[in-house]
Amino acid sequence: MSLRIANTLGRAAAAAVLALTLAHAAHAAGAEEAAAAASPQAGPPAGFVAPADAKPDDTNAQRSKSQPGNNAPMWRKVHQSGQAPGISQVEGNEAGTLIQSLTSYPGSLYTTAGEAWRQTRNNWIIPYGGALLLLVVVSIGLFYWRVGQLGGHQPDTGRVIERFSAFERTTHAANAVAFTVLAISGIVIAWGQFFLLPVIGATLFGWLTYALKTAHNFAGPIFAVSLVIILLTFVRDNLPRAGDLTWLVKFGGLLSKREVPSHRFNAGEKVVFWIGVFALGLVVVGAGLVLDKVIPGIEYTRATMQIANMVHGVAAALMMALFAGHIYIGTIGMKGAYEGMRSGYVDEGWAKEHHELWYDDIKAGKIPAQRTPDTPLPAPVVKSAR
Ligand code: HEM
């Protein structure tokens, strides 16, 4: 590179640096000037006349004349409207309360109720509910990978027993479908922003979430009704019986070749029934119906909705975690279980292996092998040994 060119470049660079320094100095000076202009001068400008003091009960209109721009009293009232509701042209519940009063919800700071709800939901329910569901799904996956499908130790006899009547299967199916719609739409509404929004973008995510929220609102009442029918239909066979405790202590012997004897439903199913279907089911549905504002005699304030939302969220996350296990066993986790709920019939070998006390009572004639009256049992089918 010739000396000359090097010189020119050097100069150009120096000039650029100089220009930049000057520009920066100018920007700084300009900024300083702007700041000086913006910053309040030591005192009021010459000739300034202080407006009259705002009378405490001045209306906004009056104060905009006496102290133009001073909206502090109004915002103070807005902030305190949780304690002292203001007057608003809007009609209805809490119309005068623009910001709720101070409170704290589990895990939140002591702050305005809306903010407290936001903190409880975003700092606790969403992260920990999500973590619980992930944990359960991963554990089920690991269990299936390590242990595989349960059952299949007793050979088929070809003779079947009716395990679920058509009415029981229909109720269960309505409930299972409604639950699945509620679970999927609920998961997208609560956690979709983390795993779906980054993939499909805001527009599609917005549409999808709106459609799923609508599906959620329709599936809710169906689930509520079918849940009550399921409770009434299966409660008798879920009452505690001798042997249930042994079953629980030995985890049913599910990991061994010899299952602990149980009656029609084993103690694990009874736990799912009383905690999942009864307790959590009624709490989720109850809070959901409050969110739908259909329960009479309740004052539907923002606080009611916030509490119902948190209760609904926590109970739904726990219920989904519990039913993930039920759905796993009821689909691929146990040989023949799904077929029993789909067709209503199980092989005697299956009944003997998984519900021996129930099988014994059928063999002893204490319980009919055919639950649906006036319907003959299907003819025995000889199946090849499994
Ligand atoms: C996709 C979802 C579901 C599947 C695949 C499924 C599958 C099954 C299967 C295969 C059985 C028969 C188990 C046996 O023979 O002992 C069963 C029983 C049962 N299921 Fe489900 N289920 C689902 C969802 C639900 C939901 C959401 C509920 C209630 C909230 C529920 C409540 C029950 C009850 C009460 C029984 C009778 C056993 C008992 O009472 O303990 N299921 N389910």
Side-chain angles (χ1 to χ4, degrees):
M1 180 193 297
S2 73
L3 194 60
R4 209 178 76 221
I5 295 173
N7 269 344
T8 320
L9 284 177
R11 283 201 198 109
V17 170
L18 184 65
L20 271 176
T21 319
L22 287 174
H24 179 67
H27 167 74
E32 219 173 273
E33 209 181 287
S39 64
Q41 298 178 358
F48 173 77
V49 180
D53 271 346
K55 299 191 193 66
D57 43 6
D58 257 2
T59 64
N60 294 341
Q62 286 159 334
R63 201 176 41 257
S64 67
K65 293 211 173 53
S66 66
Q67 275 198 341
N70 175 11
N71 292 324
M74 185 189 80
W75 290 115
R76 213 169 290 126
K77 279 204 178 124
V78 166
H79 201 264
Q80 287 151 6
S81 64
Q83 285 90 14
I87 299 158
S88 143
Q89 274 143 350
V90 183
E91 307 256 322
N93 236 345
E94 295 183 292
T97 304
L98 297 181
I99 296 182
Q100 291 171 279
S101 50
L102 302 179
T103 186
S104 68
Y105 289 135
S108 84
L109 297 172
Y110 185 69
T111 175
T112 54
E115 173 58 16
W117 166 76
R118 197 191 64 77
Q119 290 177 9
T120 302
R121 182 184 181 277
N122 293 358
N123 301 348
W124 294 93
I125 299 177
I126 296 290
Y128 291 96
L132 173 69
L133 290 179
L134 269 182
L135 197 66
V136 167
V137 170
V138 170
S139 316
I140 290 175
L142 284 175
F143 183 86
Y144 183 64
W145 174 51
R146 301 300 297 163
V147 180
Q149 201 175 40
L150 299 171
H153 304 299
Q154 278 282 341
D156 272 1
T157 64
R159 290 183 303 278
V160 293
I161 295 170
E162 188 183 24
R163 185 159 171 75
F164 297 107
S165 67
F167 174 78
E168 290 170 333
R169 286 182 286 125
T170 314
T171 312
H172 180 269
N175 194 263
V177 171
F179 179 82
T180 310
V181 171
L182 290 166
I184 292 172
S185 53
I187 286 169
V188 172
I189 293 168
W191 293 283
Q193 57 184 305
F194 305 114
F195 66 88
L196 212 50
L197 176 60
V199 179
I200 64 173
T203 313
L204 195 53
F205 181 69
W207 280 105
L208 181 69
T209 321
Y210 185 76
L212 287 175
K213 186 189 82 65
T214 313
H216 199 90
N217 288 347
F218 278 100
I222 299 171
F223 182 72
V225 173
S226 57
L227 184 82
V228 173
I229 300 176
I230 270 210
L231 278 170
L232 298 173
T233 308
F234 291 112
V235 65
R236 206 164 52 105
D237 287 320
N238 277 286
L239 296 174
R241 289 178 80 105
D244 284 346
L245 214 53
T246 321
W247 194 100
L248 282 176
V249 171
K250 295 187 176 167
F251 193 51
L254 284 178
L255 303 179
S256 70
K257 285 202 169 9
R258 177 102 179 74
E259 236 181 88
V260 177
S262 67
H263 209 271
R264 188 180 178 207
F265 301 131
N266 60 43
E269 288 175 301
K270 292 181 184 178
V271 166
V272 171
F273 183 85
W274 289 108
I275 298 181
V277 185
F278 180 73
L280 290 172
L282 291 182
V283 170
V284 166
V285 165
L289 294 176
V290 171
L291 291 171
D292 276 346
K293 295 188 179 179
V294 290
I295 301 191
I298 291 185
E299 204 199 353
Y300 288 103
T301 61
R302 265 163 287 174
T304 318
M305 302 308 269
Q306 285 155 358
I307 293 166
N309 174 276
M310 292 183 284
V311 170
H312 188 71
V314 172
L318 292 172
M319 193 173 178
M320 286 192 284
L322 197 59
F323 273 90
H326 175 82
I327 296 172
Y328 165 67
I329 294 283
T331 50
I332 56 170
M334 182 182 279
K335 213 170 192 142
Y338 180 75
E339 184 53 27
M341 185 49 93
R342 192 196 65 73
S343 69
Y345 292 92
V346 291
D347 190 275
E348 284 188 5
W350 187 93
K352 186 171 169 48
E353 177 176 353
H354 298 295
H355 299 279
E356 193 172 347
L357 303 178
W358 178 62
Y359 169 79
D360 293 347
D361 278 1
I362 288 171
K363 283 293 155 193
K366 289 186 197 155
I367 301 175
Q370 177 66 41
R371 302 179 69 79
T372 313
D374 316 325
T375 315
L377 267 179
V381 182
V382 178
K383 283 192 186 169
S384 58
R386 281 185 281 174

